[in-house]
Amino acid sequence: MPLAPAQNDNLHLRSEEVQEIISRPPAWLIRWGITLVFLMLSLLIGLSFLIRYPDFVEAKVLVTTADPTERIAARFSGQIETLFVKNGDKVGIGQPLAGIKSTAKIEDVLFLKATLEEEPFMRDNDFLFPVDLLTELVLGEIGLSFLEFERSYMEYRLIRELQPFAGQMEGTKASIEEIQKRIISQQSQKELLDRKLYLAKIDYERNKGLHLDGIIADKDFESREMEYLQMEEQVNLMAISISQLQEALNTAYQTIKNTNINREEEETRSLKALIQSYQGLKRSLRDWEYTYLMKSSINGTVSFQKVWGANQQVNAGELVFTVLPDDKSQLMGAMKISPQNAGKVSVDQKVLIKLDNYPFQEYGALIGKISSISVSPDDEFNYLVYASLPNGTTTSFNREIPFNQELLGNAEIITEELSVAERLFFKFRSIMIY
């Protein structure tokens, strides 16, 4: 007769193996295993809140000076006529580096420039210029402007030296002196005539009374009256002559005034034309320099971008020289970051700069701090970010890196420090969105 299931289980529980397990107490690992697992999980969860590591945004960085390195490109396609410097030379502001061939001689143009910049030419309201030293120069495109300046200068000097209005002034002044003498002489004559007229009038009045009394004949009275009228006429004519001389004197004075005005106008016109042509010459010189002459606009060290020499061809827009500024006291890192995660970058955040030229594992990283961020992206939708370097080129390993050129590298902008739990929470939340 088969056994019931319950009886079968009881027999199985009381088997030799089961009895052995039941009769032996469990080991401590089994007894405390659940507790240890719980403690380990609690520790891991606690550490996930305590352990924090930085979140960063990566970008390519260019370490340069606060005054940026100058890049000098050719503005005109042609052959190099003269190289004024060698690779690695110290250069100053405005110093020529190289000249491209043109219809002008570079030496002549530079001599003209030095002459124009030598000293002020206005002295005591007079313009003096050593134009005789420049007549044989080969100036090419500048020649027309120089010829205009030379013509204006010669006209100005002729007016200043020959004084074309001086003769007219002297003649007018001599006429004034003669008229004044004649006026004085005729005024003296008029005084005599006035006296004669006075006496003639007395004689006329006396004879008139005698004529009315019938003492003298009509003929004698008419003779006396005629003499009186003639004397009066002479006085009037003398007054008219003096008035005409006075009018001539006023005209002479007005002529002197007009001559002075014309002289001032002519000298002012010639000086203005000279200054305009002088400015035009300087403008033509600047245009020529801008086109054919490559110059440094900062103090620094020049670096050739190729092996350049005389008669070598350069193309417009081709980079020929770079000039590293002498002032290296203030360095900065220039970066471009993509729109992704750009919102996490802000001013004063720490930046680790790992240079390509100096391995990070050996030299360490430069320490920077975000100083400014562009408010809008560029044409490629990247944001420009600038970082200052408070420690200069001293790395995190306290090693000094020589700064003889611009340095390229990778930047890590530390945006914030998050715990492991926060990162897991962010991941979990992003999953829940979907």
Side-chain angles (χ1 to χ4, degrees), residues 191-209:
E191 289 177 358
L192 293 175
L193 289 175
D194 287 339
R195 180 63 179 170
K196 289 181 179 180
L197 178 62
Y198 174 73
L199 295 175
K201 184 178 180 181
I202 294 174
D203 184 61
Y204 167 73
E205 293 295 337
R206 185 184 302 118
N207 283 281
K208 183 178 179 181

Side-chain angles (χ1 to χ4, degrees), residues 360-414:
F360 166 71
Q361 293 81 2
E362 180 179 354
Y363 291 88
L366 299 180
I367 308 299
K369 184 171 65 173
I370 299 297
S371 58
S372 65
I373 305 171
S374 63
V375 296
S376 60
D378 59 13
D379 296 337
E380 298 177 352
F381 301 101
N382 294 319
Y383 289 87
L384 299 177
V385 179
Y386 297 96
S388 60
L389 301 178
N391 300 327
T393 55
T394 302
T395 68
S396 56
F397 292 174
N398 203 28
R399 297 191 62 174
E400 185 73 23
I401 293 178
F403 187 79
N404 298 320
Q405 59 185 347
E406 292 181 321
L407 301 173
L408 291 173
N410 295 307
E412 296 179 354
I413 304 172
I414 300 175

Side-chain angles (χ1 to χ4, degrees), residues 62 94 100 105 159 206 230 253 316 343 395:
L62 174 67
I100 300 175
K105 287 185 178 180
I159 292 175
R206 185 184 302 118
Q230 287 176 349
Y253 280 126
T395 68

Side-chain angles (χ1 to χ4, degrees), residues 7 10 34 108 130 139 145 184 226-227 322 334 359 363 379 387:
Q7 295 177 346
N10 292 332
I34 297 175
D108 291 351
L139 299 177
S145 297
I184 293 172
M226 182 63 70
E227 290 176 0
T322 58
Y363 291 88
D379 296 337

Side-chain angles (χ1 to χ4, degrees), residues 2 117 123 127 290 349 353 423:
E117 295 177 348
R123 302 194 193 104
F127 191 97
Y290 181 81
Q349 288 178 340
I353 299 175
R423 294 177 185 276

Side-chain angles (χ1 to χ4, degrees), residues 1 29 83 107 116 167 195 199 218 220 232 266 294 319 338 346 361 363 370 374 399-400:
M1 179 178 180
L29 180 61
L83 276 173
E107 294 80 4
L116 292 175
R195 180 63 179 170
L199 295 175
D218 292 341
D220 293 334
E232 189 176 28
E266 189 65 17
M294 288 172 275
L319 184 62
S338 63
S346 61
Q361 293 81 2
Y363 291 88
I370 299 297
S374 63
R399 297 191 62 174
E400 185 73 23

